[in-house]
Amino acid sequence: DQQVKQNSPSLSVQEGRISILNCDYTNSMFDYFLWYKKYPAEGPTFLISISSIKDKNEDGRFTVFLNKSAKHLSLHIVPSQPGDSAVYFCALGGTGFQKLVFGTGTRLLVSP
Amino acid sequence: DTGVSQDPRHKITKRGQNVTFRCDPISEHNRLYWYRQTLGQGPEFLTYFQNEAQLEKSRLLSDRFSAERPKGSFSTLEIQRTEQGDSAMYLCASSLGGGPGANVLTFGAGSRLTVL
């Protein structure tokens, strides 16, 4: 029972362009949504989050969009930088959830 | 505070041996989580503590796995009679429960287990 899906295992983008990472979920009870970034040999690092009462949250180059009716979450990075190259996980949780449920991850490669 | 610390970072063991991992969370965090990550997958929840009480365990956590958090501070995860399928990265995370921050987990660097 895969509640959270990231259908693109990898994404390649040129420096300066926009990176769009997507996440789909099935359980409408989730009401808090996060993105984590992971470099090799390190643990996941929190990047940005959004609650279900919003549809957009922006932090510098990073913007998260939430479409509750479509059960879809996306992360936009603009402009993309080579240092953004990492694996990105969406994670879902919220009221009534004691834990986060993670997607399978998307490996982003930003080339100079 | 140096964040979430995990020890050891790497462990290679033979099948059938017991291994123990330690996690030191951020000191003011009352919630502590153990996750497991295998190649090509996202972190999978194993178990969760609020203070010293273990409140939830995943079905992934077989009888060979046991976790403790004495006194609500550090935690240990022990795997008995290891199997090759236990090879994975074991991640510890902590958070401050009781508000929006409860959903934001801070992870350690992980303990990588290789079972030969």
Side-chain angles (χ1 to χ4, degrees), chain A residues 3-71:
Chain A
Q3 297 188 74
V4 184
K5 291 184 181 179
Q6 292 179 254
N7 290 318
S8 298
S10 63
L11 175 68
S12 292
V13 171
Q14 282 195 312
E15 182 177 7
R17 307 294 289 267
I18 185 170
S19 296
I20 300 176
L21 297 97
N22 295 302
C23 177
D24 295 292
Y25 61 97
T26 57
N27 190 337
S28 58
M29 297 301 290
F30 290 122
D31 61 8
Y32 202 78
F33 307 86
L34 306 90
W35 285 95
Y36 279 81
K37 173 173 153 179
K38 187 179 184 303
Y39 292 118
E42 296 183 12
T45 302
F46 169 70
L47 194 56
I48 192 170
S49 64
I50 188 169
S51 72
S52 59
I53 61 173
K54 295 185 175 182
D55 54 18
K56 176 182 174 181
N57 187 28
E58 190 172 350
D59 183 3
R61 297 185 297 113
F62 302 91
T63 303
V64 55
F65 294 92
L66 175 63
N67 184 333
K68 290 186 292 293
S69 60
K71 296 191 183 68

Side-chain angles (χ1 to χ4, degrees), chain A residues 2 31-32 34 36 38 41-46 49 89 93-95 97-105, chain B residues 9 31 33 35 37 40-45 48 50 55-56 89 91 100 103-110:
Chain A
Q2 200 168 357
D31 61 8
Y32 202 78
L34 306 90
Y36 279 81
K38 187 179 184 303
E42 296 183 12
T45 302
F46 169 70
S49 64
F89 295 98
T95 308
F97 291 90
Q98 306 286 7
K99 60 187 180 288
L100 294 181
V101 180
F102 283 79
T104 51
Chain B
R9 292 292 308 275
R31 292 187 176 183
Y33 300 81
Y35 280 78
Q37 186 178 14
Q41 300 296 316
E44 295 174 297
F45 171 77
Y48 145 68
Q50 177 144 322
L55 296 186
E56 187 174 346
M89 175 75 83
L91 294 163
N103 287 294
V104 182
L105 306 188
T106 301
F107 281 86

Side-chain angles (χ1 to χ4, degrees), chain B residues 9-66:
Chain B
R9 292 292 308 275
H10 299 97
K11 179 71 176 178
I12 300 174
T13 191
K14 293 182 179 179
R15 190 176 54 184
Q17 299 294 304
N18 299 345
V19 296
T20 300
F21 301 114
R22 176 182 170 121
C23 172
D24 288 272
I26 292 173
S27 55
E28 58 265 29
H29 285 181
N30 57 348
R31 292 187 176 183
L32 187 146
Y33 300 81
W34 285 98
Y35 280 78
R36 179 172 68 186
Q37 186 178 14
T38 54
L39 197 63
Q41 300 296 316
E44 295 174 297
F45 171 77
L46 293 179
T47 190
Y48 145 68
F49 291 84
Q50 177 144 322
N51 300 311
E52 66 276 9
Q54 188 173 20
L55 296 186
E56 187 174 346
K57 291 186 347 181
S58 164
R59 289 171 298 178
L60 294 175
L61 217 63
S62 76
D63 292 344
R64 297 184 297 105
F65 288 71
S66 63

